[in-house]
Amino acid sequence: MRVIILIVLTIFLQSSCSEKQNQLSDQEASELNNKELIKDVHIIYSDSGKIQIKIKAPILIRHLNTADQKEEFKKGFFAEFYDNDNKLINTLTSKYAIRLTNERKTIMQDSVVFQSINNETMKTSELIWDENSGKLHTEKYVSIIRKNEIIRGFGFETDERFKTGSIKSIDALIPSEKLFQK
């Protein structure tokens, strides 16, 4: 086992040493004062050894100011949610997000799209995840698209697993056979 780890480590170090390092301009470097720049981010959240969420992002900027810690996904992110059998159940994307570490809150903005394995899609311009309450919500316009249904409204709330939710002000296009079932 130690031999395999040593071989993998050696290959990793050799490949990382041979890669060309991109130099930052003076302006880019000054913008990163008290920040960490991390590229090609892959984050895995697990519970009791079971994967819950995988997040991929091209760039993560971690703000290091202890009074105001935050993680910023300037070029967005892609998240996959898994069930207890490690099966993919939902995806969530956003073109921009910021996680306020001290508040345990993530604000996703710009083309936020939630997609379930049942081909249900939710779109909004902003979605806020409050880790303390375990809820996601927005006061913005939201659209939920299902086979033969479109539900639109303002204000949306759901649990972390997107199992139950509500829209505050609603406008819907639903086939008549679903409205007036016998």
Side-chain angles (χ1 to χ4, degrees):
M1 184 67 171
R2 289 183 188 188
V3 173
I4 293 172
I5 293 171
L6 185 59
I7 291 170
V8 171
L9 186 60
T10 303
I11 292 170
F12 174 76
L13 289 175
Q14 286 176 346
S15 67
S16 66
C17 291
S18 64
E19 287 184 28
K20 182 181 174 185
Q21 296 291 322
N22 292 334
Q23 297 294 320
L24 296 175
S25 70
D26 288 341
Q27 180 181 352
E28 291 171 321
S30 68
E31 289 174 5
L32 291 172
N33 189 26
N34 290 324
K35 300 173 187 168
E36 288 179 331
L37 171 65
I38 305 166
K39 294 183 178 181
D40 297 322
V41 177
H42 293 175
I43 302 169
I44 297 175
Y45 292 98
S46 64
D47 184 13
S48 303
K50 295 188 181 211
I51 295 172
Q52 301 290 309
I53 305 170
K54 288 183 182 178
I55 297 175
K56 297 177 186 175
I59 292 177
L60 169 63
I61 298 174
R62 186 173 288 143
H63 299 252
L64 302 175
N65 181 347
T66 55
D68 188 29
Q69 292 182 344
K70 49 189 158 188
E71 297 171 338
E72 190 173 12
F73 297 88
K74 282 195 161 207
K75 293 189 177 180
F77 74 92
F78 174 77
E80 296 176 328
F81 297 83
Y82 293 86
D83 66 11
N84 289 332
D85 296 323
N86 283 335
K87 291 182 184 173
L88 178 66
I89 53 172
N90 304 318
T91 61
L92 179 64
T93 60
S94 174
K95 289 186 179 179
Y96 175 84
I98 188 161
R99 180 171 186 263
L100 309 173
T101 310
N102 296 340
E103 294 179 43
R104 296 188 49 165
K105 193 176 283 187
T106 302
I107 303 166
M108 296 159 269
Q109 297 174 322
D110 193 2
S111 304
V112 180
V113 178
F114 167 80
Q115 180 81 41
S116 77
I117 58 169
N118 300 327
N119 264 347
E120 298 170 323
T121 304
M122 189 266 315
K123 297 179 180 181
T124 186
S125 62
E126 179 180 81
L127 190 62
I128 301 167
W129 175 30
D130 185 338
E131 295 173 46
N132 294 319
S133 69
K135 303 277 185 187
L136 289 105
H137 64 92
T138 185
E139 296 303 318
K140 307 283 184 176
Y141 175 80
V142 64
S143 172
I144 297 175
I145 303 159
R146 297 181 179 142
K147 184 178 180 181
N148 299 325
E149 289 182 353
I150 300 173
I151 303 168
R152 298 178 290 239
F154 289 89
F156 174 74
E157 182 174 290
T158 185
D159 61 282
E160 292 176 325
R161 305 301 280 169
F162 287 88
K163 293 203 181 240
T164 60
S166 64
I167 299 175
K168 293 180 183 175
S169 175
I170 192 167
D171 174 31
L173 295 173
I174 300 171
S176 62
E177 62 270 7
K178 278 192 151 186
L179 284 176
F180 306 107
Q181 294 179 349
K182 295 179 183 183

